[in-house]
């Protein structure tokens, strides 16, 4: 049997978890840059440094990959919220912390805003097809409901606040500001992208929401 030459390479076994993560990361960047319609599977594979066929092997098609990216981002948000341990805090502090965390996530992940805008333009076609997202959001609604209940018991919050409506309001007050910063800055002649302006907006949203919850 011939001796193995020193220059021979040993084939490396593929790491499925690492490969999927590379593809998801590359896809997130490509979809954020070009939207679902403009994104190319070839570019995603090249950016991930893998064969194009692996995209289809791990995800099936472009639509499934796009949904996987959306589910990944939403799961990341929910996990960060879970780590806040909101139900162990006083109600007012819990709501403020949720608001601040929601604002900070959007501020530090502008690609998520772009992805959501694109998905909404498409009528939420991919999100509607997810079997994971509704279940992913249920613990959040339950947590917010618990905080509101505790706030009412403590005399801090008024009765009858819908937890879903509250969360939509929290998200909207941050989302609109961060997704429209360029036009808002131009309209009002003020740099609303500055660190000071963002801190002021973050504080304003928290104060506004907490004031609206008072009895």
């Amino acid at each position: 049997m011939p001796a193995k030459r020193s220059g021979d390479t040993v084939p490396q076994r593929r790491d499925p978890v690492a490969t999927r993560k590379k593809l998801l990361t590359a896809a997130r960047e490509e979809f954020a840059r070009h939207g679902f319609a403009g994104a190319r599977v070839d570019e995603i594979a090249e950016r991930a440094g893998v064969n194009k066929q692996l995209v289809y092997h791990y995800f099936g098609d472009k639509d499934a990959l796009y949904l996987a990216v959306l589910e990944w981002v939403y799961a990341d948000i929910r996990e960060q919220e879970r780590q806040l341990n909101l139900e162990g805090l006083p109600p007012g502090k819990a709501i403020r912390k949720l608001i601040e965390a929601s604002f900070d996530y959007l501020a530090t992940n502008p690609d998520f805003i772009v992805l959501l805008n694109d998905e909404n333009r498409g009528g939420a076609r991919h999100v509607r097809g997810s079997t994971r997202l509704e279940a992913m959001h249920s613990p959040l609604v339950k947590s917010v409901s618990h905080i509101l209940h505790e706030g009412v018991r403590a005399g801090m919050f008024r009765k009858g606040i819908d937890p879903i409506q509250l969360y939509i309001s929290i998200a909207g007050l941050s989302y609109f500001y961060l997704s429209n910063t360029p036009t808002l800055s131009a309209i009002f002649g003020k740099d609303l992208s500055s660190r000071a302006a963002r801190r002021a907006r973050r504080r304003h949203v928290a104060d506004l929401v907490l004031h609206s919850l008072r009895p």
Side-chain angles (χ1 to χ4, degrees):
M1 182 175 182
K4 182 176 174 59
R5 293 174 298 177
S6 60
D8 289 347
T9 58
V10 178
Q12 295 183 346
R13 296 183 65 183
R14 187 184 305 139
D15 182 343
V17 175
T19 301
R20 278 181 59 89
K21 185 63 180 291
K22 285 180 182 178
L23 284 169
L24 284 171
T25 301
R28 179 170 176 170
E29 183 177 344
E30 177 73 4
F31 287 131
R33 282 187 178 186
H34 303 291
F36 174 77
R40 296 180 59 224
V41 173
D42 288 358
E43 292 294 328
I44 293 170
E46 184 176 344
R47 186 175 287 117
V50 302
N51 187 289
K52 176 182 175 181
Q53 294 306 313
L54 289 180
V55 176
Y56 303 108
H57 173 73
Y58 285 111
F59 297 98
D61 57 21
K62 181 180 172 183
D63 286 276
L65 177 58
Y66 185 64
L67 176 56
V69 169
L70 292 174
E71 289 179 336
W72 171 37
V73 177
Y74 273 116
D76 188 41
I77 298 171
R78 298 290 84 85
E79 176 59 21
Q80 290 195 30
E81 289 168 345
R82 189 188 66 79
Q83 292 181 10
L84 296 174
N85 295 317
L86 297 177
E87 293 185 31
L89 298 173
K93 188 173 182 179
I95 293 296
R96 182 176 291 275
K97 195 169 184 179
L98 175 62
I99 294 167
E100 292 172 347
S102 298
F103 187 96
D104 291 345
Y105 187 90
L106 293 175
T108 55
N109 293 276
D111 60 339
F112 179 50
I113 292 175
V114 177
L115 288 167
L116 284 190
N117 286 342
D118 186 56
E119 178 64 1
N120 277 297
R121 278 195 297 270
R125 178 169 65 89
H126 298 88
V127 167
R128 290 181 192 280
S130 174
T131 58
R132 296 179 57 205
L133 287 176
E134 185 174 349
M136 200 182 293
H137 284 67
S138 295
L140 171 67
V141 175
K142 183 178 178 181
S143 178
V144 174
S145 297
H146 175 78
I147 294 166
L148 289 172
H149 177 72
E150 291 300 307
V152 171
R153 285 206 333 166
M156 297 176 60
F157 299 158
R158 58 187 174 83
K159 296 179 179 179
I161 299 168
D162 185 312
I164 295 177
Q165 291 291 349
L166 175 61
Y167 188 78
I168 291 172
S169 294
I170 290 171
L173 288 166
S174 300
Y175 185 94
F176 181 85
Y177 177 87
L178 293 165
S179 65
N180 294 277
T181 295
T183 51
L184 291 171
S185 296
I187 289 169
F188 294 109
K190 182 178 180 179
D191 181 12
L192 297 176
S193 67
S194 71
R195 185 173 299 179
R198 287 190 172 184
R199 279 200 304 264
R201 177 62 186 179
R202 184 177 185 259
R203 184 171 56 251
H204 172 79
V205 172
D207 290 344
L208 184 67
V209 171
L210 284 169
H211 182 77
S212 73
L213 300 180
R214 293 175 185 170

